[in-house]
Amino acid sequence: MIIDIFLIIVSIIISMIGLSFLYFNRRNFGSKLNVFLNGSIYLFLGMLFFTFFFLSAETYFTEDIVLALWYLSIFFWVFSLSMLSLIHSFVIIFEKKAVFSMLFYSLMIGIILGLLFIPDSFTINLNNGFYSFIFQNMILLYFLLSYNSIIIGVMCYNLIKNYFRIRDNKSRKMVIILTFEFCLITILYSVYIISQNIIIRYFYGALYLVGAIFASYYLIKKPFLFIELTNKIYDFIIFHRSGILLYSYNFETGEETDESLLKGSILIGINHILSNFINKKDQLGLIKMQNRDIIFEYDINHGYALLLTTNHKNAFIDKAVSNFMKKFTGLNKEKLKNLTGLIDVSEFRNAKDMILEFFEPFIIKG
């Protein structure tokens, strides 16, 4: 009992820290969906499932109560696992077809919940001072094991398919470690519900806490690692309303570039911006190419514009562009105001520091 309570308390503390960080730093995670999914894991897996799972084995409660706790633990397990799979998918690559995955998971969860309501699905035994639950409804057991296997398969498939598209080696290593932990935890849970072995239950609890601490560390220290790791930024360009290039940065090489190296699709974006400079103000624009999104932003008052090319725009990029523009304008207001005649573009090299500050997730690392 003491060990169980200790594990529950540790899990709740980790979850509360994670939820608090998510709430107070929600703007760093790109979208409300990302915050919701990560928060769901802390709430439903780290707090509710973990608590019900360990309390369901305690003999301090009656059989009716522990059976109810066991049922609740199964529900929160399958629900949390679907959230975990979606987070894993969105961390690697955001795809609209993930909605279909959610529909499939919902169907599986519905079937499992329906099977739970069948009477006498479990036999409750008392062994070595703990309750254990033996499956009498084998269809329920098969669906649970199949569901766990599907989640593992989807995670491994997404990782293998998109491994070389992940932005940098450090992110690849992080995703491999987290995927391995997720899969191992799911396998251990499957082994436990079959064997009801107390040692496996504690081993599962300890491994989950290690994984929760590891994931929370990355969530707090490097939240950008949870934002679509296969999405990339290619070119970042700032130019004057006259068409003069003020600054250009290539995210693929990590180097500043000059006007002669700009690609055709980028020039299309620049021409589009210049043609709309008079009519647009404080509005994020977008040109969709075949394999690129060209994002552009204007500052009419100070006579310059920003152009960025990426796989596709998302909430994080939108916010980063907005923050960059505010700081760039604040630091270079007087320079932009006095731009006449021969322009010394070297005065705008301070843009690189701001790029590293606001677009850190997209900076290529070793």
Side-chain angles (χ1 to χ4, degrees), residues 48-299:
L48 296 176
F49 162 75
F50 204 83
T51 299
F52 295 146
F53 176 74
F54 277 94
L55 290 182
S56 66
E58 297 301 328
T59 57
Y60 289 91
F61 304 107
T62 65
E63 289 189 2
D64 290 338
I65 292 177
V66 296
L67 186 60
L69 292 172
W70 178 248
Y71 275 42
L72 286 170
S73 74
I74 293 176
F75 166 73
F76 285 117
W77 168 258
V78 295
F79 180 78
S80 300
L81 215 55
S82 66
M83 296 294 102
L84 194 61
S85 178
L86 289 175
I87 290 174
H88 185 269
S89 297
F90 290 159
V91 162
I92 295 176
I93 181 169
F94 183 87
E95 293 180 331
K96 292 183 179 179
K97 67 182 182 181
V99 175
F100 296 102
S101 298
M102 191 65 218
L103 292 175
F104 175 75
Y105 294 153
S106 298
L107 176 62
M108 290 290 290
I109 292 171
I111 293 173
I112 291 171
L113 291 181
L115 292 170
L116 277 174
F117 283 102
I118 296 177
D120 302 321
S121 292
F122 299 94
T123 297
I124 303 177
N125 293 334
L126 183 61
N127 296 315
N128 299 320
F130 293 96
Y131 284 119
S132 60
F133 304 87
I134 308 302
F135 280 84
Q136 298 301 310
N137 185 345
M138 299 309 295
I139 297 178
L140 172 59
L141 176 60
Y142 294 149
F143 265 95
L144 266 174
L145 296 178
S146 297
Y147 183 73
N148 291 346
S149 300
I150 289 170
I151 296 295
I152 292 173
V154 169
M155 286 184 177
C156 293
Y157 172 77
N158 283 334
L159 177 58
I160 294 171
K161 178 183 176 182
N162 299 289
Y163 179 77
F164 291 105
R165 296 174 62 187
I166 295 175
R167 285 191 292 265
D168 56 80
N169 289 329
K170 289 183 179 180
S171 297
R172 292 189 187 107
K173 292 176 182 178
M174 184 275 294
V175 174
I176 288 175
I177 293 172
L178 288 178
T179 302
F180 177 76
E181 290 241 10
F182 295 158
C183 293
L184 185 56
I185 288 170
T186 304
I187 291 171
L188 279 177
Y189 177 81
S190 300
V191 173
Y192 174 73
I193 63 175
I194 295 172
S195 67
Q196 296 291 308
N197 186 290
I198 191 67
I199 296 177
I200 294 176
R201 183 163 70 94
Y202 284 130
F203 186 45
Y204 165 83
L207 184 64
Y208 168 80
L209 292 179
V210 170
I213 292 171
F214 182 81
S216 297
Y217 170 81
Y218 272 102
L219 186 78
I220 294 171
K221 289 293 185 179
K222 301 181 182 295
F224 52 79
L225 289 176
F226 290 78
I227 303 174
E228 198 177 355
L229 295 176
T230 53
N231 195 25
K232 297 179 181 179
I233 295 176
Y234 300 97
D235 293 284
F236 185 97
I237 302 165
I238 306 170
F239 53 92
H240 190 249
R241 67 164 71 240
S242 63
I244 295 175
L245 180 71
L246 299 180
Y247 183 81
S248 179
Y249 183 82
N250 187 295
F251 278 78
E252 292 180 283
T253 63
E255 298 177 354
E256 298 162 337
T257 56
D258 57 48
E259 191 170 4
S260 63
L261 299 176
L262 298 183
K263 301 175 184 177
S265 60
I266 299 174
L267 295 176
I268 292 173
I270 292 175
N271 290 331
H272 183 90
I273 294 177
L274 291 174
S275 66
N276 288 275
F277 226 116
I278 298 175
N279 301 320
K280 302 242 182 180
K281 182 178 181 181
D282 299 329
Q283 178 180 350
L284 191 65
L286 175 69
I287 299 176
K288 295 193 74 69
M289 309 295 286
Q290 184 176 1
N291 298 313
R292 296 284 189 276
D293 281 357
I294 302 179
I295 299 171
F296 45 90
E297 177 68 277
Y298 318 82
D299 188 328

